[in-house]
């Protein structure tokens, strides 16, 4: 077996190594937890505060699936076309630029990433519903996809309608290696994220992330000063603070969020040193042929 095949097999079984070696990033602890669950779980989710790196870890799982599966199909969605384009789709481009392998083998465009050698059967697509769409049209966003290697990715899942997840679940009915991965803030006490954290808890590998200044396991990526300011300004029980700082669902029937939806200032968030890049040699010449023999 070639060195490239061995590497693909290892990256499939160890997505953390993939992120370090191929994307040249160092996952935070909770991101490593999600990545470690990726090979063995079909439903993986994160319920989190604002800004710890949810969209980044979704993009890493997408690249891992694209590189380590044969002819995969991946459909991604978020709460709006703009959010998908500015968030997940931009993260995918960002991390592709860290990898000579990904740049040489995949073409990124505004709504699709395709494998250069198999454009019609090896892809990731950005999907969304138009403004004013009813629940049937929303469900169509992810409906009708079937493949041996199939993945649905839902960003900002805290505000995603139930019908969208129902369509994704239908995709899991067939295929060999099928997954749903999702991440979001706990904005609604109903819908797919709420269910995954409550009634359907057993079916999901869920990771919870907080920016609580007093929690030793808090995300270091979110500025602690910002978190303290929000708490001082609006109070610990404020629904917006509960969702965006603590990453917790607000109490059912509580008043709507009253603070402005400002994004955290990430300028002072801790920066992590990138590990020394160790890309495997001869990738461009042997992939994806070596991907075939890796399985
Ligand atoms: N482990 C990491 N190493 C380096 N950069 C990272 C890491 N995790 C996240 N980032 C970067 O930090 C920034 C914020 O991450 P991201 O957008 O994924 O956060 P988020 O939780 O999705 O935020 P939001 O709640 O606003 O949607 C991005 O530029 C992302 O690439
Ligand atoms: Mg995000």
């Amino acid at each position: 077996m070639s060195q490239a095949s061995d590497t693909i097999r290892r990256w499939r079984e160890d997505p953390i190594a993939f992120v370090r070696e191929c994307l040249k990033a160092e996952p935070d602890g909770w991101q490593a937890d999600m990545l470690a669950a990726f090979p063995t779980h079909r439903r993986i989710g994160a319920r989190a505060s604002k800004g710890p790196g949810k969209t980044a870890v979704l993009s890493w799982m997408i690249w891992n699936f694209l590189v380590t599966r044969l002819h995969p199909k991946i459909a991604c969605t978020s709460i709006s076309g703009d959010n998908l384009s500015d968030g997940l789709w931009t993260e995918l481009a960002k991390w592709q630029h860290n990898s000579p392998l990904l740049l040489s083998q995949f073409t990124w465009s505004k709504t699709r990433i395709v494998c250069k050698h198999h454009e019609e059967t090896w892809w990731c697509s950005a999907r969304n519903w138009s403004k004013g769409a009813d629940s049937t049209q929303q469900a169509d966003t992810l409906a009708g996809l079937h493949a041996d290697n199939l993945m649905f990715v839902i960003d900002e899942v805290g505000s995603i309608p139930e019908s969208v997840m129902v369509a994704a679940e239908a995709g899991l009915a067939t295929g060999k290696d099928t997954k749903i991965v999702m991440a979001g803030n706990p904005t609604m006490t109903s819908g797919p994220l709420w269910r995954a954290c409550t009634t359907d808890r057993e079916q999901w590998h869920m990771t919870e992330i907080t920016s609580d200044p007093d929690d030793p396991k808090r995300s270091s990526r979110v500025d602690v000063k910002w978190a303290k300011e929000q708490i001082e300004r609006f109070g610990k029980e404020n629904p917006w603070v509960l969702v965006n700082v603590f990453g917790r669902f607000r109490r059912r029937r509580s008043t709507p969020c009253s603070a402005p939806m400002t994004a955290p200032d990430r300028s002072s968030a801790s920066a992590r040193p990138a590990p020394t890049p160790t890309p495997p040699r001869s990738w461009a010449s042997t992939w994806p042929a070596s991907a075939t023999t890796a399985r």
Side-chain angles (χ1 to χ4, degrees):
M1 188 148 305
S2 73
Q3 188 191 350
S5 303
D6 283 348
T7 302
I8 289 175
R9 185 189 297 277
R10 191 165 55 75
W11 283 353
R12 183 187 169 108
E13 289 164 7
D14 185 356
I16 297 171
F18 168 79
V19 169
R20 287 181 178 144
E21 295 166 18
C22 185
L23 306 180
K24 294 153 199 154
E26 181 59 33
D28 293 348
W30 68 269
Q31 289 171 328
D33 176 65
M34 280 184 89
L35 291 166
F38 190 64
T40 49
H41 289 74
R42 293 180 90 190
R43 296 180 182 84
I44 300 163
R47 184 200 88 190
S49 52
K50 189 135 195 68
K54 301 180 293 295
T55 305
V57 74
L58 293 180
S59 77
W60 297 344
M61 290 192 270
I62 290 169
W63 280 122
N64 181 269
F65 205 76
L66 280 170
V67 169
T68 65
R69 269 68 172 181
L70 281 176
H71 301 278
K73 294 181 176 49
I74 306 174
C76 307
T77 196
S78 186
I79 39 163
S80 70
D82 283 348
N83 183 281
L84 184 58
S85 147
D86 296 348
L88 184 57
W89 221 251
T90 304
E91 279 298 300
L92 284 161
K94 169 177 171 171
W95 296 107
Q96 183 186 24
H97 279 87
N98 273 15
S99 166
L101 168 68
L102 300 186
L103 283 171
S104 69
Q105 301 300 327
F106 292 92
T107 306
W108 181 101
S109 66
K110 283 187 176 171
T111 57
R112 217 164 167 84
I113 295 168
V114 295
C115 173
K116 285 178 184 170
H117 307 272
H118 304 276
E119 294 190 1
E120 282 160 20
T121 58
W122 198 314
W123 48 255
C124 173
S125 79
R127 299 181 167 215
N128 232 269
W129 54 86
S130 52
K131 279 191 181 128
D134 62 23
S135 61
T136 312
Q137 291 163 322
Q138 289 172 343
D140 285 347
T141 311
L142 299 182
L145 274 181
H146 296 281
D148 281 353
N149 298 311
L150 178 67
M151 183 158 86
F152 296 98
V153 181
I154 307 177
D155 199 8
E156 302 290 353
V157 68
S159 305
I160 287 282
E162 194 69 70
S163 55
V164 173
M165 181 59 87
V166 170
E169 283 286 343
L172 265 54
T174 59
K176 291 179 183 158
D177 190 353
T178 55
K179 293 182 188 297
I180 302 176
V181 296
M182 63 181 193
N185 307 120
T187 42
M188 295 195 309
T189 51
S190 63
L193 183 60
W194 168 258
R195 268 195 306 108
C197 294
T198 55
T199 52
D200 296 352
R201 188 73 187 79
E202 293 301 308
Q203 294 174 20
W204 286 84
H205 181 282
M206 290 301 296
T207 300
E208 286 151 16
I209 308 106
T210 183
S211 303
D212 181 353
D214 296 328
D215 190 327
K217 288 187 178 167
R218 75 181 298 278
S219 165
S220 58
R221 209 160 283 284
V222 178
D223 186 7
V224 72
K225 190 163 155 267
W226 174 85
K228 282 182 177 165
E229 275 167 12
Q230 307 313 305
I231 294 167
E232 273 165 29
R233 213 167 143 204
F234 303 110
K236 274 191 164 177
E237 296 301 317
N238 175 279
W240 187 89
V241 171
L242 277 174
V243 171
N244 293 287
V245 178
F246 294 103
R248 295 212 316 260
F249 287 102
R250 51 199 147 115
R251 297 184 211 301
R252 279 190 144 174
R253 279 184 288 161
S254 67
T255 49
C257 304
S258 55
M261 295 295 281
T262 47
D265 175 5
R266 297 192 181 107
S267 56
S268 55
S270 67
R272 292 182 182 251
T276 312
T278 52
R281 270 178 276 170
S282 310
W283 264 114
S285 57
T286 58
W287 193 93
S290 51
T292 316
T293 54
R295 295 163 190 91

